Amino acid sequence: MQSLISISDLSKTYASGFVALKNVNLDIRKGEILALLGPNGAGKTTLISIICGLVNPTSGTVRVDGHDIIKDFRKTRAMIGLVPQELTTEVFASVFTTMVYSRGLFGKKPSPQYIEKILRALSLWDKKDSPINELSGGMKRRVLIGKALAHEPKILFLDEPTAGVDVELRKDMWTLIRQLQTDGVTIILTTHYIEEAEEIADRVGIINHGEIIVIEETSELMRKLGKKQLILELHKKLESLPADFDIPNLEASADGMQLIYTYDIHMDRTGITALLSRLSEKGIRFRDLDTKQSSLEDIFVTLVGNNQS
Amino acid sequence: MNFQAIKVIYQFEMLRMWRTLFQSVFSPILSTSLYFIVFGAAIGSRIQSIDGIAYAAFIVPGLIMLMLLTQSVTNAAFGIFFPKFTGAIYEVLSAPLSFFEIVLGYVGAAATKSILLGVVILTTARLFVSFEIAHPMWMIVFLVLTGITFSLFGFLIGIWADNFEKLQLVPLLVITPLTFLGGSFYSINMLPPFWQTVTLFNPVLYLVSGFRWSFYEVADVSVGISLSVIFLFLCLCLFGVWWVFKTGYKIKT
């Protein structure tokens, strides 16, 4: 797929000496939803801020659609919309006025029809004349999204879009993000909510200590690094596994009512058949079974843990 | 050039003035009227004319200058400080805008407001005292140049200030005293020789003197020097603003 944003050897060291990014190389593809995951202070916001022109890089280059973000800043910034992490809006202006302002800032001619379309899509049309300081937190978040979309950007950065947002609004946002992708917008979001990335992202990048540890298709990442577990609900409590029961990756639960077998689904032999035959031989009976795929969260914790050790 | 952006910043800032009409327009008019009542009618009636001009008329240019300077600085400083304070400045900094365009929007609006206010105060003054303007074109030149220059200065203060106290510091502790001591209410010829020399170091003296000359053709210093001082200060402010955007001082990391 065609690369829309190319980041090469990007580094950022703040005046305090804090190294926020270390030689980051990343290609963001046209039309994808990329989720950037990472703990606090990992460098996610710094990366976004550099691309959007809010932070000056220490070294390295970023090209958006072939244009350098510093030399051709007018072209690159016109393509980008940014939804910041904090609820940073004008306070006393009305919703509609602030949308008109945002569109104009990016050099677009006024289009009340387009702004109406966005406000309706964000369920803000009936609040168009309300001053922003009279809106709830969730509505302010929607206003920020509206402002970022007001100039019809090709790329949308969402920095922690669903932080502190209720379930309903979060679902609405996912729907909106998917719709934007259908409309051809490339979306980059940072998040703490791993299930969010798992749910909507085409690719996941994991940042830690200013470095990209992994960047992979979400499904591929799950496939490569995800483990599966077979959980067997036993008929009777098992005090301990028989001594000659030499099956690796098998353990009993603390209450002795479950056996948990972890396996790799990509291996030719998962060992499930062997396990079930051995259980039958030993007369260990089970009344139910279940399988569980490890979540992106498990993968994230493993990767970040490895990176720190 | 992103004209659309300059236009929306300008309109957005002007809209703020209409939202805060009482604070932006009525309160300076009220305080100027009080000056005229106290200095012009009450005290001024007991003061002899200065350089052949009735005292109440003599103070008109100085009073307009006092309001013009404080309002230019305050409006421009607040205009850029507030989005910095709320964090909304991110949008301006991430937009396809050069520093020149940003300054044009913010400073243009601040200067417009203060110049409009200058005109309103001039009209208000006319209700209290009778005076003629000898050189209306030069009066406009001084009004506009001073408005722009001090709006640029205010813009720099707004960038520098990181709290409300600092924002008020310069207008209250620097601009107002300098205006009062810069010959707004008296001619420096009335001062002892030593203080006359000290006053020559006050840049506001040159603004008030030049502006008063455009009204009554009397000045403490020559008009050429007055204009040169305004241009010098304008260049200094432009350099300051250029440096702020070049280095990202207090706005970019």
Side-chain angles (χ1 to χ4, degrees):
Chain A
M1 206 185 279
Q2 194 186 342
S3 165
L4 188 59
I5 302 177
S6 297
I7 301 166
S8 309
D9 299 323
L10 190 68
S11 296
K12 174 67 188 177
T13 306
Y14 285 102
S16 62
F18 176 70
V19 181
L21 293 176
K22 295 176 203 161
N23 288 315
V24 169
N25 287 288
L26 175 65
D27 274 307
I28 298 169
R29 299 166 186 167
K30 199 171 186 175
E32 74 171 334
I33 298 179
L34 173 71
L36 291 173
L37 295 176
N40 287 331
K44 305 184 295 288
T45 301
T46 300
L47 181 62
I48 288 183
S49 301
I50 289 176
I51 302 171
C52 295
L54 298 173
V55 171
N56 294 325
T58 307
S59 63
T61 56
V62 180
R63 299 183 82 79
V64 177
D65 205 18
H67 305 289
D68 184 85
I69 55 156
I70 294 168
K71 285 186 198 134
D72 292 328
F73 73 93
R74 285 184 195 271
K75 283 182 182 158
T76 63
R77 291 188 199 172
M79 280 188 267
I80 297 173
L82 167 67
V83 182
Q85 193 171 336
E86 306 289 335
L87 293 174
T88 46
T89 56
E90 276 294 330
V91 182
F92 304 110
S94 75
V95 172
F96 197 85
T97 308
T98 194
M99 296 281 290
V100 170
Y101 174 72
S102 298
R103 185 175 169 87
L105 272 187
F106 284 76
K108 286 267 183 180
K109 291 215 164 71
S111 172
Q113 300 82 359
Y114 183 74
I115 288 172
E116 181 179 344
K117 188 181 142 193
I118 294 179
L119 289 180
R120 285 193 188 280
L122 290 163
S123 310
L124 282 171
W125 182 243
D126 57 337
K127 297 282 177 191
K128 68 181 167 61
D129 297 320
S130 305
I132 296 171
N133 60 342
E134 288 179 10
L135 303 181
S136 68
M139 281 182 183
K140 282 181 187 156
R141 179 75 62 189
R142 286 175 207 240
V143 170
L144 283 176
I145 296 176
K147 280 165 77 71
L149 294 173
H151 64 281
E152 301 165 56
K154 297 270 172 271
I155 302 162
L156 183 66
F157 283 96
L158 296 138
D159 198 359
E160 305 278 352
T162 50
V165 158
D166 63 35
V167 180
E168 196 181 347
L169 180 54
R170 200 193 289 189
K171 282 187 177 164
D172 283 355
M173 278 194 191
W174 289 1
T175 311
L176 178 76
I177 289 169
R178 285 201 190 92
Q179 181 56 47
L180 287 168
Q181 187 188 30
T182 313
D183 296 344
V185 180
T186 304
I187 294 152
I188 299 98
L189 58 94
T190 70
T191 183
H192 274 110
Y193 299 109
I194 291 162
E195 70 273 24
E196 190 165 273
E198 198 175 337
E199 171 90 16
I200 61 169
D202 299 314
R203 284 199 304 162
V204 172
I206 297 179
I207 305 187
N208 198 27
H209 297 306
E211 291 173 296
I212 299 215
I213 314 169
V214 71
I215 175 97
E216 191 69 84
E217 305 279 337
T218 313
S219 53
E220 188 66 10
L221 189 68
M222 303 293 293
R223 197 182 69 78
K224 273 190 190 166
L225 297 171
K227 299 279 185 208
K228 213 162 181 183
Q229 288 183 326
L230 172 68
I231 299 145
L232 300 167
E233 299 280 344
L234 302 178
H235 252 296
K236 281 191 208 159
K237 185 176 176 181
L238 193 67
E239 296 300 337
S240 63
L241 284 169
D244 57 345
F245 217 75
D246 55 347
I247 290 180
N249 303 322
L250 179 71
E251 56 190 57
S253 64
D255 62 1
M257 291 302 293
Q258 282 182 338
L259 281 177
I260 301 157
Y261 176 60
T262 306
Y263 61 98
D264 186 343
I265 47 168
H266 309 110
M267 298 292 280
D268 285 341
R269 290 165 182 270
T270 56
I272 293 174
T273 316
L275 169 69
L276 296 180
S277 335
R278 296 294 302 278
L279 288 174
S280 175
E281 280 168 23
K282 294 286 175 190
I284 301 172
R285 294 170 61 211
F286 53 90
R287 57 184 177 85
D288 196 7
L289 59 82
D290 189 15
T291 60
K292 193 180 99 181
Q293 175 83 48
S294 58
S295 68
L296 193 54
E297 179 154 1
D298 303 328
I299 299 171
F300 176 73
V301 170
T302 311
L303 284 170
V304 171
N306 289 344
N307 184 244
Q308 274 164 344
S309 58
Chain B
M1 193 81 148
N2 190 345
F3 288 108
Q4 206 64 43
I6 300 168
K7 192 176 123 191
V8 291
I9 294 177
Y10 183 86
Q11 285 175 336
F12 202 77
E13 285 300 298
M14 293 305 284
L15 197 68
R16 202 157 48 78
M17 181 174 86
W18 298 120
R19 271 204 309 266
T20 55
L21 198 63
F22 192 82
Q23 185 197 330
S24 309
V25 179
F26 294 140
S27 76
I29 293 174
L30 179 70
S31 54
T32 313
S33 303
L34 291 174
Y35 277 118
F36 278 117
I37 292 166
V38 175
F39 289 104
I43 300 173
S45 60
R46 292 166 190 261
I47 297 176
Q48 291 177 337
S49 63
I50 300 175
D51 296 331
I53 305 156
Y55 186 70
F58 180 86
I59 63 170
V60 170
L63 269 179
I64 295 172
M65 216 28 115
L66 172 69
M67 284 300 152
L68 188 68
L69 296 188
T70 47
Q71 289 299 316
S72 298
V73 171
T74 312
N75 279 331
F78 193 78
I80 189 70
F81 173 80
F82 199 58
K84 250 179 57 182
F85 178 73
T86 60
I89 190 79
Y90 84 89
E91 205 176 13
V92 175
L93 298 176
S94 65
L97 276 170
S98 69
F99 83 90
F100 180 68
E101 291 153 346
I102 296 175
V103 171
L104 220 53
Y106 278 104
V107 173
T112 309
K113 284 185 224 175
S114 55
I115 292 165
L116 278 178
L117 203 65
V119 173
V120 170
I121 289 168
L122 184 71
T123 316
T124 313
R126 198 67 182 78
L127 300 175
F128 290 90
V129 267
S130 168
F131 57 84
E132 298 292 324
I133 300 169
H135 304 285
M137 285 313 290
W138 279 111
M139 191 275 287
I140 293 168
V141 168
F142 273 105
L143 195 72
V144 171
L145 267 182
T146 310
I148 292 172
T149 305
F150 278 78
S151 294
L152 277 169
F153 185 53
F155 186 83
L156 286 173
I157 292 166
I159 295 275
W160 163 76
D162 36 31
N163 55 46
F164 279 96
E165 195 188 354
K166 276 187 180 174
L167 194 67
Q168 294 292 334
L169 204 68
V170 176
L172 285 179
L173 296 183
V174 180
I175 302 290
T176 308
L178 283 182
T179 318
F180 269 84
L181 300 173
S184 293
F185 297 100
Y186 54 86
S187 163
I188 63 164
N189 297 326
M190 295 160 78
L191 296 173
F194 172 75
W195 288 108
Q196 280 190 34
T197 314
V198 171
T199 308
L200 290 174
F201 288 95
N202 180 353
V204 177
L205 167 77
Y206 300 88
L207 306 178
V208 174
S209 170
F211 197 49
R212 186 174 289 133
W213 172 84
S214 70
F215 278 70
Y216 310 124
E217 294 183 305
V218 291
D220 287 326
V221 287
S222 88
V223 184
I225 295 177
S226 285
L227 276 173
S228 308
V229 169
I230 299 181
F231 269 114
L232 179 71
F233 196 54
L234 177 67
C235 291
L236 280 175
C237 291
L238 283 172
F239 175 78
V241 170
W242 171 82
W243 178 82
V244 161
F245 281 93
K246 177 94 180 151
T247 58
Y249 173 75
K250 295 228 179 173
I251 47 172
K252 258 188 180 185
T253 47

